[in-house]
């Protein structure tokens, strides 16, 4: 290790999306903000990502471009195979250049298991300190088996306290909330005249329920998000028949300025999650609150931690409707919503928490 002030950090992504993503991609957006803020704080950062990524860190391209955008990778199995090949390239580099790193921070998620970097690390004989952040729910049986039998003492990080519930006895170093770059989000003091929905169109995300709430409340709904192949049937059956361009509008994926304007221009953003979906964090909710717009969702998973008292967490859809029609949402303190993000969810704060509460602790293990 060089000095107590500066660390040599390797950030390992999943390669499925560009860092930062052009449009959809919460983990990749997190990685972009983390990498840039670590560099700004004086650390030597290497980002293992897709070749089209844009970062202040030193980029080590592990795939030519984001795997999801490759013409030959339009099915899940091919995406997974190419991502695993990219991971193999990253691990090979780390193994040959171990002296360049104080710590590797693994954030492999999505199309392949998050424990795969650990298996490859051990097979390659890498001795550099590793920390793994979980980015999804910890409900998969293979995760439970692998982390309780193969990696019970592995240093891991949760992104909300609720995320730990399925596997509470792992070696959690800390919970580090995601943080955003506030400069990318414009505070909008005045409420808009439409409700918004921004998520992938998985049934668990509640797109169909958002339509039901908006129609009952008599407020137009604008929906944004990607439709993965696995969710196409749900979209065609439950979402598309309601899209009329007036009461319900679908605008596809949004990013950058378009997303900022979409979120800030809404009366509220609806996220009526299914009970079975335990949201591990929900970066989109933080982005929403940064514009001042309140979130209407359910008290499952991380939502009480992330949204807190700034939004409206309702168990029943009719309660969401009531908050809208009664004027509660219209009277939401949009300045307080923005202040909530400034206090708890900035990228600068996130990077400092990783350095002081995770990286320096984990390095002491080796």
């Amino acid at each position: 290790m060089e000095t107590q002030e500066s660390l040599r950090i390797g950030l390992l992504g999943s390669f499925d999306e560009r860092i930062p993503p052009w449009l959809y991609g919460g983990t990749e957006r997190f990685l972009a903000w983390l990498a840039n803020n670590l560099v700004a704080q004086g650390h030597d950062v290497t980002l293992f990502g897709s070749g089209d990524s844009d970062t202040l860190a030193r980029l080590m391209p592990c795939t030519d471009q984001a795997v999801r955008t490759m013409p030959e990778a339009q099915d899940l199995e091919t995406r997974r195979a190419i991502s695993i090949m990219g991971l193999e390239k990253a691990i090979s580099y780390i193994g040959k250049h171990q002296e360049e790193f104080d710590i590797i921070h693994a954030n492999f998620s999505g199309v392949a298991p998050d424990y795969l970097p650990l298996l490859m690390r051990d097979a390659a004989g890498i001795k550099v300190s590793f920390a793994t952040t979980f980015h999804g729910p910890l409900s998969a049986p293979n995760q439970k088996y692998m982390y309780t039998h193969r990696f019970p003492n592995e240093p891991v990080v949760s992104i909300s306290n609720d995320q730990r519930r399925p596997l509470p006895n792992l070696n959690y170093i800390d919970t580090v909330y995601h943080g955003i770059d506030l400069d990318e989000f414009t505070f909008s003091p005045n409420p808009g005249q439409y409700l918004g929905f921004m998520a992938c169109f998985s049934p668990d995300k509640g797109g169909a329920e958002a339509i039901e709430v908006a129609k009952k409340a008599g407020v137009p709904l604008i929906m944004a998000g990607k439709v993965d192949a696995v969710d196409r049937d749900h979209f065609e059956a439950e979402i598309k028949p309601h899209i009329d361009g007036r009461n319900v509008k679908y605008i596809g994926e949004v990013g950058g300025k378009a997303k900022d304007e979409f979120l800030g221009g809404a009366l509220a953003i609806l996220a009526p999650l299914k009970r079975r979906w335990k949201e591990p964090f929900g970066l989109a909710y933080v982005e929403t609150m940064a514009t001042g717009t309140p979130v209407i969702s359910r008290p499952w998973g991380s939502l009480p931690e992330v949204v807190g008292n700034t939004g409206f967490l309702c168990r029943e859809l009719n309660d969401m409707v009531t908050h809208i029609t009664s004027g509660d949402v219209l009277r939401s303190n949009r300045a307080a919503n923005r202040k909530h993000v400034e206090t708890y969810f900035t990228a600068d704060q996130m990077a400092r928490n990783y350095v002081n509460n995770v990286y320096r602790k984990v390095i002491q293990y080796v």
Side-chain angles (χ1 to χ4, degrees):
M1 187 170 61
E2 290 179 279
T3 68
Q4 188 69 0
E5 290 72 32
S6 177
L7 297 178
R8 299 170 301 171
I9 304 161
L11 294 178
L12 183 59
S14 64
F15 325 123
D16 200 45
E17 298 282 354
R18 176 184 183 268
I19 300 173
W22 291 115
L23 297 169
Y24 186 86
T27 300
E28 291 77 17
R29 197 169 305 282
F30 147 81
L31 278 167
W33 283 322
L34 178 59
N36 288 348
N37 278 268
L38 288 172
V39 171
Q41 292 169 16
H43 300 285
D44 180 1
V45 183
T46 301
L47 177 64
F48 296 90
S50 61
D52 53 356
S53 296
D54 182 15
T55 178
L56 297 179
R58 179 175 60 139
L59 178 64
M60 293 297 296
C62 298
T63 57
D64 291 338
Q65 65 189 72
V67 176
R68 190 165 74 96
T69 67
M70 293 181 177
E72 67 270 35
Q74 295 308 298
D75 64 280
L76 183 60
E77 292 304 318
T78 303
R79 283 169 59 187
R80 180 178 293 116
I82 297 174
S83 292
I84 292 173
M85 289 171 63
L87 176 59
E88 181 183 36
K89 184 175 181 179
I91 293 296
S92 176
Y93 181 91
I94 295 167
K96 294 174 182 176
H97 302 86
Q98 298 189 49
E99 72 284 352
E100 295 182 6
F101 302 99
D102 296 314
I103 189 165
I104 301 297
H105 179 190
N107 298 273
F108 203 70
S109 64
V111 298
D114 48 30
Y115 52 76
L116 196 55
L118 302 176
L119 291 171
M120 287 191 178
R121 173 203 65 185
D122 289 357
I126 294 173
K127 301 301 181 185
V128 179
S129 297
F130 256 68
T132 297
T133 291
F134 294 131
H135 288 277
L138 301 178
S139 54
N142 61 335
Q143 276 183 311
K144 180 177 181 179
Y145 186 88
M146 190 63 71
Y147 283 106
T148 56
H149 290 82
R150 179 66 175 81
F151 298 114
N153 298 314
E154 190 68 34
V156 294
V157 180
S158 51
I159 56 177
S160 69
N161 292 322
D162 186 85
Q163 185 192 30
R164 301 184 182 190
R165 286 180 182 269
L167 298 174
N169 298 318
L170 301 185
N171 183 21
Y172 292 100
I173 302 301
D174 200 10
T175 290
V176 181
Y177 293 136
H178 288 343
I180 67 172
D181 183 350
L182 283 168
D183 291 340
E184 296 184 20
F185 298 91
T186 307
F187 173 62
S188 300
N190 300 314
Q193 297 182 335
Y194 62 86
L195 296 166
F197 174 87
M198 187 179 75
C200 65
F201 280 88
S202 161
D204 289 344
K205 293 290 188 174
E209 288 76 10
I211 293 172
E212 180 181 343
V213 169
K215 286 188 172 183
K216 286 183 176 180
V219 180
L221 175 67
I222 301 179
M223 310 187 82
K226 70 172 181 175
V227 183
D228 280 328
V230 69
D231 300 320
R232 174 59 61 181
D233 289 346
H234 169 71
F235 182 85
E236 294 291 332
E238 304 295 334
I239 306 298
K240 191 173 181 179
H242 299 279
I243 298 173
D244 57 13
R246 299 184 307 277
N247 297 312
V248 180
K249 182 187 296 185
Y250 175 54
I251 59 174
E253 295 184 61
V254 291
K257 191 176 189 308
K259 179 171 69 171
D260 182 35
E261 293 176 349
F262 168 68
L263 295 175
L267 171 64
I269 294 297
L270 292 172
L273 308 172
K274 293 285 183 66
R275 180 63 186 261
R276 62 177 177 262
W277 174 251
K278 302 298 188 291
E279 184 68 71
F281 183 78
L283 191 61
Y285 311 135
V286 174
E287 294 174 336
T288 297
M289 293 183 293
T291 68
T293 299
V295 174
I296 304 176
S297 188
R298 283 172 152 155
W300 321 143
S302 67
L303 269 298
E305 294 177 62
V306 175
V307 174
N309 296 322
T310 67
F312 302 88
L313 300 182
C314 312
R315 290 180 175 271
E316 304 298 332
L317 297 183
N318 284 339
D319 292 335
M320 297 182 184
V321 175
T322 298
H323 280 303
I324 297 167
T325 57
S326 69
D328 291 344
V329 174
L330 188 65
R331 292 186 292 270
S332 175
N333 189 333
R334 295 174 75 92
N337 298 343
R338 171 78 175 201
K339 184 64 177 179
H340 182 63
V341 177
E342 293 173 345
T343 302
Y344 298 107
F345 304 112
T346 67
D348 176 78
Q349 182 182 46
M350 171 183 67
R352 294 184 190 281
N353 286 342
Y354 268 109
V355 170
N356 296 321
N357 300 339
V358 178
Y359 300 160
R360 296 198 190 280
K361 289 181 181 179
V362 173
I363 287 170
Q364 302 305 313
Y365 285 11
V366 177

